[in-house]
Amino acid sequence: MSDILKGNFTPKKQVTKPDDTIDDDSIESKFKKAALNSIGGSMVYVERTDLTWDGEE
Amino acid sequence: MAKILFINPVVREEDVPRHIPYGIALLAAIAMKEGHLVQVYDANAHRLPLDTIIEVCQADDWDAICIGGLTTTYNYIKKACKLIKESAPNAQLIAGGGFLTSMPHEIFEWIPEIDVGCIGESFVTFPEVLKKIDNKDVNYSDVLGVIHRDLTGKSFLTNIRPNIKDLDTLPWPAWHLFPLDIYFANSSNLFSEESFTSKRRMDINGSFGCGLTCKYCWHLGTTGDMLVEENDNGENDVVFTYGRNIRYHSADYIVSMVKHLHNEYDIDFAAFIDENLMTMDVASKGTWLKELCKKWIEAGLQPTCRQQGIPHDENCKGVHWNGTSHAGLHRPETLKLMYEAGCTHLVYGLESFDPTVLRNLGKGSNARKNKQSIATCLASGIKPIPNIIIGFPEESFESVRNTIEALVELGITAKPHFATAYPGSEWYYAYKDSIMEQYNQDLEAYIMDLGDASKITATISHEFSPMQLLGLQQIVYLKDLRLLDLSEQHWAPVQEKLTPVIQPKMSFNLKTVKEAGPLAS
Ligand code: SF4
């Protein structure tokens, strides 16, 4: 947890950075970033994770 | 004293946060100097969910919440303002920066939550607005340089605020209010070996404005390029001109600031965010950069690799730096001094190598100077970083060919940007009608679409469609003259029969005259 407000006085309420939102550094997100950055040539990145047809058009 | 919250909006979501917002940091320092209570929420650095703003706005009883940035932060600002007003309805919501100055009335219509906005240079306007808020007086009609509302929400622009004369009277930005570790973690960039290995880079700003008049560039009042005049309806609106109030910090101010950053934060790299270092040097009759380099070295900021004439490595001490240059205005002896003082790379907005494009651009350069600039810069030891654009209004197969041939000759590989009409630029006002046609008359949709010009938003090319421009971008990247010839063979005869859909028009907001806004005495 870290303070996200910085200033020259102490505010009434402390605002902290929730642990689970501290930088999304999961393998999946790292891979997505790296893949999108190297698109070109035969490199493609499939954004969808679900290709199941649910019957609706 | 007023309790003020500054919010730095998210910029370039697809990239990591790289720049401490210089303007916000400076205004925070000014507010603190005036005795106000200040907090900063740097949304760009933290990248937390949008609704964190609610918690931030409820962390205290703010008298004012301030938000601002360039047009490319518009999407975030719009969403943020809604949440701010809902969660802190008693705070005055103040906006400022390029996104507002370029189109104040439109922004006030699109974001009804904003109470008051500072137009153009805000160093004096902003503390005056805060003083009003502190006195519980929210009638801003007697403050110069603001846009405000009447009770029905209708916007009014007051008369122009003069630019300050002496930049050295400004305090240093309040860097300590920003999460520096996040920015330091993203110090490295791919422009030079020294910047690639940088671990603690910070931005500095030595000057405001540029004497040139490139049609894609905007200065938004900071160069003395803005007037406020009555339009046909008798309402004040902004007018942009070729007028200039050229101002730069003294070498002493800059060097002592960098020395402070080096001692306090251990910076190893200073990136000048000035619009154009060379035009400032010209304005000083060639003395400014020389003095800066001399004092940089005297202050002990010269990197040891340059001092000892050895290759740069991880043991190097001192502060490397970079900035912007100009193909026709740099001088070999100045570049040499800059190299010695630690300059690693200079960005050159070469844009094109075509005579017609360059003549119309207002850059004061030509194809010969553009070509020579690369060799001159390389000879000094500094790396040139040339910027290339395609999709100019007068772009043709011939102009693209001229650019590719020069890139081949100079050994440059570039994936060009697309000519983009950012609000505040001459192109924007000249092509506003054509842009609106391309966005179904929804100007806000265009503003929301704007990024860093690496994608096509609205085209302003008279001859080429988006489909062709995308192809031409790839052909320039590949430097493939055969493909260009083939494309011309197919398309040129067709294009002769087409009428251009994109056409420039006169606009109230743009006057191509050298009439400068006022300068404080
Ligand atoms: S030289 Fe650079 S800063 Fe000056 S007007 Fe042109 S693009 Fe803008």
Side-chain angles (χ1 to χ4, degrees):
Chain A
M1 300 281 266
S2 71
D3 249 340
I4 60 167
L5 275 179
K6 283 184 144 203
N8 62 351
F9 74 107
T10 311
K12 289 182 180 162
K13 283 187 220 148
Q14 220 193 2
V15 186
T16 51
K17 196 169 179 174
D19 285 337
D20 58 353
T21 60
I22 294 176
D23 296 335
D24 182 6
D25 57 359
S26 65
I27 301 262
E28 190 191 344
S29 81
K30 275 189 183 162
F31 170 68
K32 178 177 174 176
K33 224 180 219 172
L36 286 173
N37 283 338
S38 52
I39 295 291
S42 60
M43 178 72 207
V44 292
Y45 180 76
V46 181
E47 177 81 43
R48 284 191 68 151
T49 52
D50 179 10
L51 278 178
T52 320
W53 183 50
D54 61 11
E56 276 180 40
E57 204 53 64
Chain B
M1 284 296 142
K3 247 183 210 176
I4 307 157
L5 170 67
F6 284 91
I7 297 180
N8 181 34
V10 175
V11 52
R12 287 170 63 89
E13 245 167 286
E14 69 286 3
D15 196 9
V16 291
R18 293 186 186 277
H19 304 279
I20 301 163
Y22 203 88
I24 296 180
L26 198 44
L27 291 175
I30 290 172
M32 288 194 291
K33 205 172 151 205
E34 299 279 318
H36 297 293
L37 298 172
V38 171
Q39 292 285 332
V40 171
Y41 169 48
D42 190 340
N44 189 42
H46 292 299
R47 303 285 169 105
L48 296 168
L50 179 72
D51 57 13
T52 308
I53 283 192
I54 299 171
E55 213 185 323
V56 167
C57 288
Q58 292 171 346
D60 214 315
D61 307 318
W62 308 105
D63 297 303
I65 299 181
C66 314
I67 194 161
L70 291 174
T71 301
T72 44
T73 58
Y74 179 74
N75 288 347
Y76 183 92
I77 290 179
K78 181 166 169 111
K79 288 183 216 144
C81 285
K82 203 165 179 332
L83 294 179
I84 293 168
K85 214 48 188 182
E86 279 165 13
S87 43
N90 298 326
Q92 286 286 292
L93 179 46
I94 311 177
F99 95 101
L100 177 69
T101 298
S102 57
M103 39 166 58
H105 288 295
E106 280 106 336
I107 296 290
F108 257 49
E109 192 190 321
W110 297 337
I111 311 184
E113 294 87 6
I114 302 174
D115 294 303
V116 57
C118 298
I119 304 297
E121 190 175 279
S122 302
F123 306 132
V124 182
T125 311
F126 181 61
E128 281 195 16
V129 168
L130 292 181
K131 204 178 282 172
K132 283 248 167 202
I133 292 172
D134 211 11
N135 294 334
K136 311 273 179 263
D137 170 11
V138 291
N139 174 4
Y140 303 105
S141 57
D142 57 348
V143 180
L144 291 180
V146 297
I147 179 160
H148 62 106
R149 299 180 191 278
D150 68 10
L151 290 175
T152 68
K154 184 175 158 36
S155 57
F156 292 92
L157 201 56
T158 62
N159 286 334
I160 190 136
R161 162 80 54 190
N163 288 141
I164 64 168
K165 204 169 190 174
D166 182 3
L167 294 185
D168 283 4
T169 56
L170 294 173
W172 291 339
W175 300 283
H176 61 288
L177 300 188
F178 293 81
L180 299 180
D181 286 349
I182 295 178
Y183 290 105
F184 286 149
N186 301 315
S187 285
S188 170
N189 61 41
L190 288 170
F191 294 128
S192 64
E193 286 81 357
E194 297 88 343
S195 67
F196 183 56
T197 51
S198 159
K199 300 215 162 25
R200 300 177 79 83
R201 172 181 51 81
M202 277 169 93
D203 294 344
I204 52 172
N205 191 22
S207 62
F208 286 108
C210 162
L212 297 164
T213 55
C214 300
K215 291 186 170 46
Y216 57 84
C217 190
W218 63 88
H219 311 282
L220 302 173
T222 57
T223 55
D225 60 310
M226 190 177 81
L227 307 171
V228 170
E229 291 183 352
E230 274 187 14
N231 60 21
D232 289 344
N233 303 329
E235 289 171 356
N236 273 358
D237 200 357
V238 288
V239 175
F240 295 100
T241 71
Y242 292 168
R244 294 291 182 264
N245 294 324
I246 294 291
R247 295 158 302 153
Y248 44 88
H249 281 296
S250 66
D252 281 326
Y253 180 100
I254 298 169
V255 168
S256 59
M257 185 161 91
V258 177
K259 184 97 187 145
H260 166 78
L261 292 174
H262 188 45
N263 293 343
E264 192 73 15
Y265 304 113
D266 195 21
I267 66 162
D268 56 11
F269 204 100
F272 279 87
I273 55 170
D274 299 44
E275 288 196 72
N276 195 318
L277 290 177
M278 288 304 158
T279 56
M280 289 299 134
D281 199 48
V282 169
S284 73
K285 301 199 169 43
T287 58
W288 187 57
L289 282 173
K290 285 188 187 133
E291 197 187 343
L292 184 65
C293 293
K294 192 170 143 266
K295 295 200 161 158
W296 194 281
I297 295 170
E298 280 168 11
L301 296 169
Q302 182 189 32
T304 44
C305 65
R306 299 287 163 92
Q307 191 186 36
Q308 296 163 14
I310 54 170
H312 173 75
D313 64 18
E314 67 281 1
N315 299 316
C316 187
K317 298 267 176 300
V319 182
H320 285 281
W321 52 285
N322 83 287
T324 43
S325 193
H326 186 280
L329 301 177
H330 63 187
R331 299 281 165 268
E333 65 280 9
T334 313
L335 292 176
K336 193 168 164 285
L337 277 175
M338 290 164 73
Y339 176 80
E340 275 170 26
C343 181
T344 66
H345 62 279
L346 288 169
V347 176
Y348 286 76
L350 302 184
E351 331 304 11
S352 168
F353 290 87
D354 179 69
T356 311
V357 166
L358 288 170
R359 199 169 40 244
N360 291 344
L361 198 57
K363 179 132 232 159
S365 186
N366 58 38
R368 184 182 51 83
K369 284 184 193 165
N370 269 4
K371 281 186 195 169
Q372 274 175 354
S373 70
I374 301 295
T376 307
C377 185
L378 282 172
S380 72
I382 297 173
K383 271 200 165 59
I385 310 292
N387 202 27
I388 305 294
I389 298 176
I390 60 162
F392 292 95
E394 53 286 279
E395 196 81 88
S396 63
F397 286 105
E398 186 56 23
S399 65
V400 175
R401 181 171 292 108
N402 283 332
T403 292
I404 295 179
E405 280 171 355
L407 295 179
V408 171
E409 191 184 328
L410 296 167
I412 297 171
T413 300
K415 194 163 189 185
H417 284 113
F418 294 108
T420 302
Y422 287 101
S425 69
E426 185 167 337
W427 277 349
Y428 172 77
Y429 299 109
Y431 291 100
K432 195 168 163 188
D433 287 353
S434 298
I435 292 167
M436 290 194 33
E437 272 171 36
Q438 293 174 64
Y439 277 82
N440 296 323
Q441 302 304 322
D442 185 350
L443 188 60
E444 192 184 18
Y446 172 62
I447 302 301
M448 292 180 118
D449 210 15
L450 284 170
D452 69 354
S454 46
K455 66 167 187 174
I456 296 179
T457 50
T459 67
I460 53 166
S461 166
H462 298 187
E463 190 164 332
F464 293 119
S465 68
M467 177 183 78
Q468 291 168 301
L469 289 174
L470 283 166
L472 287 171
Q473 183 197 43
Q474 188 67 8
I475 287 173
V476 173
Y477 171 59
L478 297 171
K479 292 177 266 188
D480 196 328
L481 289 164
R482 184 186 67 86
L483 286 183
L484 184 72
D485 289 345
L486 273 177
S487 310
E488 183 170 15
Q489 219 176 310
H490 281 104
W491 283 102
V494 179
Q495 291 190 175
E496 267 173 31
K497 298 194 169 47
L498 300 175
T499 40
V501 277
I502 314 296
Q503 279 181 338
K505 270 198 185 158
M506 297 286 282
S507 152
F508 169 82
N509 300 104
L510 182 83
K511 248 201 230 173
T512 53
V513 293
K514 287 200 166 164
E515 191 181 338
L519 189 62
S521 49

